[in-house]
Amino acid sequence: MPDHEMTGDLFLFVRTEATAASPARAEAGLVERISAGDEEAFGELYRRYAPMVHGIVLARVPRDEVDDIVQDVFIAAYKSLTTLRDNNAVGGWLAMIARNRATEYFRRAKPADELSEDLGKNDPSRAEANEVLAAIRSMPDSYRETLVLRLVEGMTSREIAEQTGLSPDSVRVNLHRGMKLLRQNLGIEVKR
């Protein structure tokens, strides 16, 4: 990933108090509408945060389990929306639920028949994607999540920060260090 992609919004976008508060106000309004029974508001919440939740879950569990767990996260969020302490922190709250559901998956996972390791090897692009995903999954959580959100879900650094509740600087550092570690794990040398 070129450095300008990771740091582009750091230099081109200067946050002011008005712009920093607007996403939070939108979140709070969305939560209030959902609490009032507005089903369209929940659909909007889903569309806004599903890529983040999907990325967090994909970074942790087998690919064929991800969609079910994502759905479970949003059902749990809908049922427990009244427990949300800060309506402005819905993104971080959903991220926490996603992490917890992924952890629960492994606690209650039942032994299953294993698929052949040769499955997918006939398709070179799929094998390569699986290799990259395996390398990402072997990383520490902070790098793993931000890399999947950036590389798989296509989220910008700013979107990752806004939706997960991380600071923009943390996201930038996690992406930079994570990409460096990913290149190392995959044996890719960077030409300078």
Side-chain angles (χ1 to χ4, degrees):
M1 172 185 308
D3 287 339
H4 75 277
E5 283 186 51
M6 289 190 294
T7 59
D9 54 355
L10 181 67
F11 296 112
L12 299 175
F13 182 71
V14 178
R15 281 195 119 130
T16 63
E17 288 302 312
T19 58
S22 60
R25 275 185 274 174
E27 283 183 354
L30 200 54
V31 171
E32 289 168 7
R33 287 175 42 212
I34 295 167
S35 296
D38 184 347
E39 290 179 17
E40 286 182 28
F42 190 76
E44 186 178 331
L45 179 85
Y46 180 84
R47 283 186 296 280
R48 184 179 295 177
Y49 290 101
M52 177 201 61
V53 171
H54 185 270
I56 289 171
V57 174
L58 180 64
R60 290 175 161 71
V61 302
R63 186 180 307 176
D64 57 336
E65 300 294 331
V66 172
D67 291 337
D68 290 340
I69 294 173
V70 168
Q71 183 178 5
D72 188 42
V73 167
F74 281 96
I75 290 170
Y78 186 78
K79 288 179 178 178
S80 61
L81 194 62
T82 58
T83 65
L84 180 61
R85 292 184 193 145
D86 180 0
N87 289 355
N88 293 319
V90 71
W93 181 67
L94 285 169
M96 179 197 64
I97 294 172
R99 290 180 194 112
N100 289 342
R101 295 295 171 164
T103 301
E104 288 173 14
Y105 166 80
F106 288 106
R107 284 190 191 133
R108 62 178 182 226
K110 296 176 183 148
D113 293 334
E114 291 188 28
L115 296 175
S116 168
E117 288 186 27
D118 294 333
L119 189 67
K121 287 192 176 180
N122 295 336
D123 182 359
S125 63
R126 187 172 187 105
E128 185 176 296
N130 287 335
E131 179 185 0
V132 172
L133 189 57
I136 291 173
R137 285 182 173 160
S138 71
M139 296 179 169
D141 285 347
S142 56
Y143 301 157
R144 179 173 45 199
E145 278 184 16
T146 52
L147 284 174
V148 170
L149 292 175
R150 177 71 180 108
L151 299 175
V152 177
E153 300 301 332
M155 296 172 68
T156 65
S157 298
R158 187 178 72 186
E159 289 171 335
I160 295 169
E162 288 173 354
Q163 292 192 8
T164 62
L166 294 171
S167 73
D169 288 340
S170 293
V171 171
R172 182 182 55 80
V173 168
N174 288 346
L175 283 173
H176 177 75
R177 291 179 182 167
M179 285 301 293
K180 184 177 179 181
L181 185 59
L182 180 60
R183 285 185 201 106
Q184 271 181 333
N185 290 350
L186 296 173
I188 299 171
E189 291 186 33
V190 178
K191 296 179 184 177
R192 292 187 186 228

